[in-house]
Amino acid sequence: MTKEILKIISDSMESLGLNYEFMEWTSEIKYSYFVGEYGETQQSTEDGLQESSFILTGYTRGTWLSLEEIKELIQAYFDAVNGHTEITASGSGVAIFYSNSFAVPTGDAALKKIQINLTIKEWKVK
């Protein structure tokens, strides 16, 4: 995962009007907010493809429906078929796709949590 991809995700969340930070929330809490983290898979193709999973975890003290509405925004932006595609400044091609999501129990009736999984495909150039 490159810093360029992390910036694409951050910029995408900002363009959707969503509060977002990478790995942990460090600002004053403004619900709803999301944090992101990633996991890479081993490269197994010769075309330079690196595939990663990206997890967006969202929190609110509002309703479950509000998280579902945000999920729909993210799902539309990172379409499961066409994805969100960009060419980075270094010339790599990136496609980010919505994969799936699920509600996560928190043990606190007022705090709602959702996990949204994205798939990232990056074709690096040297």
Side-chain angles (χ1 to χ4, degrees):
M1 176 80 52
T2 63
K3 290 186 289 185
E4 289 176 314
I5 293 175
L6 294 175
K7 182 162 178 15
I8 289 170
I9 291 171
S10 180
D11 291 348
S12 298
M13 295 296 281
E14 184 178 335
S15 74
L16 291 170
L18 301 174
N19 298 315
Y20 168 80
E21 289 190 22
F22 179 62
M23 290 303 293
E24 66 180 330
W25 190 261
T26 59
S27 302
E28 181 180 336
I29 293 186
K30 295 184 281 185
Y31 292 104
S32 298
Y33 72 89
F34 284 79
V35 294
E37 60 188 279
Y38 69 89
E40 296 177 336
T41 59
Q42 184 175 356
Q43 185 174 343
S44 61
T45 63
E46 296 176 1
D47 62 357
L49 172 64
Q50 173 69 53
E51 193 166 333
S52 304
S53 297
F54 199 88
I55 300 169
L56 289 169
T57 306
Y59 301 87
T60 191
R61 290 207 176 265
T63 65
W64 282 108
L65 184 58
S66 67
L67 284 178
E68 287 296 319
E69 290 169 348
I70 293 170
K71 179 192 82 173
E72 288 178 2
L73 283 175
I74 293 169
Q75 189 174 14
Y77 191 87
F78 298 109
D79 182 71
V81 176
N82 298 312
H84 172 79
T85 59
E86 288 192 29
I87 302 297
T88 66
S90 66
S92 296
V94 178
I96 305 172
F97 303 90
Y98 173 88
S99 293
N100 57 30
S101 68
F102 53 91
V104 179
T106 65
D108 177 349
L111 182 65
K112 280 71 170 186
K113 179 177 173 182
I114 191 168
Q115 179 176 318
I116 299 171
N117 300 308
L118 305 175
T119 299
I120 299 173
K121 296 184 178 195
E122 177 184 18
W123 289 268
K124 294 182 181 179
V125 295
K126 295 187 182 202

